[in-house]
Amino acid sequence: MLEEEFQQLEQDGIFIAVSAGNSFATYNSPGLNYPAASSYVVPVMSVDSNGNFSGTSQRHSRAIAAPGVGITSTVPDYKGNNNGIGDDFMSASGTSMASPYIAGSSVLVREAMEIAGTANITQDMIYD
């Protein structure tokens, strides 16, 4: 059922950025975890501030990379100081930290394409 949803979103021109996975150090070979293995999504790998793959990031020729090492983001209060106020931040690493960069970038690319007059924008057009 999830594959059908991904297929429909892709057909509707929605860009779907997903984490490629963090198992490279375990298997020491290229590949993608699911749902990144789906042909309807764009897998996202993790790189450090020097542009090198993070040690655990999955690698694949159809994946795209973004910063994913030592990323500071908001977290739910129960993961932070549990003071009842949404004022909590945490630093984490991995492809889950990288994929939001690509999701956000895809919106900017789509907007630029629309301003330039491009119609019927697809996920592949944004990726390219």
Side-chain angles (χ1 to χ4, degrees):
M1 185 161 166
L2 188 56
E3 280 298 292
E4 292 170 359
E5 295 298 324
F6 286 150
Q7 181 180 23
Q8 185 63 57
L9 288 168
E10 185 196 35
Q11 287 174 352
D12 291 343
I14 306 299
F15 189 94
I16 312 162
V18 299
S19 303
N22 299 308
S23 302
F24 184 79
T26 302
Y27 299 107
N28 202 26
S29 66
L32 299 170
N33 290 358
Y34 190 82
S38 170
S39 62
Y40 303 112
V41 304
V42 175
V44 181
M45 304 172 288
S46 169
V47 294
D48 63 21
S49 60
N50 294 319
N52 299 312
F53 286 116
S54 60
T56 61
S57 178
Q58 294 298 100
R59 294 142 167 87
H60 197 274
S61 59
R62 73 175 183 89
I64 192 166
V69 176
I71 306 300
T72 300
S73 184
T74 57
V75 294
D77 190 50
Y78 71 88
K79 287 277 195 179
N81 58 19
N82 207 21
N83 66 355
I85 302 170
D87 61 352
D88 302 295
F89 295 86
M90 204 171 171
S91 187
S93 298
T95 59
S96 291
M97 301 307 288
S99 60
Y101 277 92
I102 299 301
S105 298
S106 76
V107 174
L108 298 174
V109 170
R110 177 184 297 277
E111 184 177 30
M113 292 172 79
E114 289 172 348
I115 290 170
T118 305
N120 302 318
I121 301 169
T122 67
Q123 178 170 267
D124 289 341
M125 292 166 69
I126 294 170
Y127 177 91
D128 290 343

